[in-house]
Amino acid sequence: MSHVEKTRAGIRVRLEAEEIALMRALMEQLLALLGDAPGGDDELASMGITENAEKPDDPVLARLFPDAYRDDGEAAGEFRRYTEMGLRDGKREAAETVLASLGGAGSVIVLDEKQAQAWLRALNDVRLALGTRLDITEEWYEEAGAMDPDDPRTPMFAAYDWLTMLQDGLVHVLW
């Protein structure tokens, strides 16, 4: 079972082998969902500007990159055009930080404050993605508790719960 504590050396996160495997899989899936950064030959992209900035059709991407102006599609598109690439890069960087810091089977990970902040951002992104796919509501905990163990969503609800606890542990030691 994961455990988070603050030590003199930094933020110490202890994960079991299964938790490391799950975290690695979730971060890799998040990176795949975010897609690759644009190539260096794209002049606008080199300045952080997206040519075609439209709200994503995928509900998870729409949740990760919501419209800034709900009542003004044109303003939302312009805002997205200038901000989405930087947001995607930040989400990729956070997930890559998590992947780079994961140890081997059942290990203790020591994070500095910057890495711990990246973990918080990446955990939040994965929770948003899972929450969107599972249609999480405020009553999700009761729904998960009443769920048949053979329901194919059960492992995803368990992963969501575990990510919530891990994120809570990081928040408590950082603040």
Side-chain angles (χ1 to χ4, degrees):
M1 186 71 174
S2 60
H3 178 74
V4 181
E5 67 182 338
K6 191 169 199 165
T7 67
R8 288 185 182 148
I11 309 327
R12 190 173 152 201
V13 181
R14 184 177 47 89
L15 298 175
E16 300 296 328
E18 298 82 14
E19 294 169 325
I20 290 171
L22 176 60
M23 182 71 77
R24 185 170 280 115
L26 291 171
M27 291 302 146
E28 289 170 352
Q29 290 173 26
L30 177 61
L31 286 170
L33 179 69
L34 294 170
D36 294 329
D41 58 343
D42 186 336
E43 190 175 327
L44 283 177
S46 68
M47 295 184 288
I49 301 171
T50 305
E51 181 87 27
N52 299 316
E54 295 179 8
K55 185 175 181 176
D57 291 332
D58 183 329
V60 172
L61 288 173
R63 180 71 176 105
L64 290 172
F65 304 103
D67 278 339
Y69 303 97
R70 292 182 189 200
D71 298 331
D72 187 341
E74 188 176 328
E78 275 301 294
F79 186 83
R80 182 178 299 281
R81 182 173 183 231
Y82 291 101
T83 61
E84 185 173 324
M85 189 176 301
L87 292 172
R88 277 184 190 266
D89 289 346
K91 290 176 185 307
R92 269 191 222 93
E93 183 180 313
E96 288 166 355
T97 297
V98 172
L99 285 172
S101 61
L102 291 175
S107 67
V108 173
I109 301 157
V110 179
L111 307 171
D112 61 28
E113 186 143 340
K114 184 178 178 184
Q115 290 169 315
Q117 293 289 338
W119 270 59
L120 280 176
R121 290 190 304 277
L123 289 173
N124 189 62
D125 289 340
V126 171
R127 285 184 66 247
L128 283 172
L130 271 175
T132 301
R133 292 281 190 242
L134 292 170
D135 197 24
I136 294 284
T137 65
E138 290 183 20
E139 294 81 29
W140 80 270
Y141 200 72
E142 291 80 18
E143 181 182 346
M147 191 175 287
D148 182 331
D150 294 330
D151 187 310
R153 298 172 301 155
T154 299
M156 292 194 319
F157 273 99
Y160 183 87
D161 190 37
W162 174 71
L163 290 167
T164 301
M165 290 187 297
L166 184 57
Q167 187 177 35
D168 183 63
L170 279 169
V171 167
H172 277 92
V173 298
L174 286 170
W175 286 283

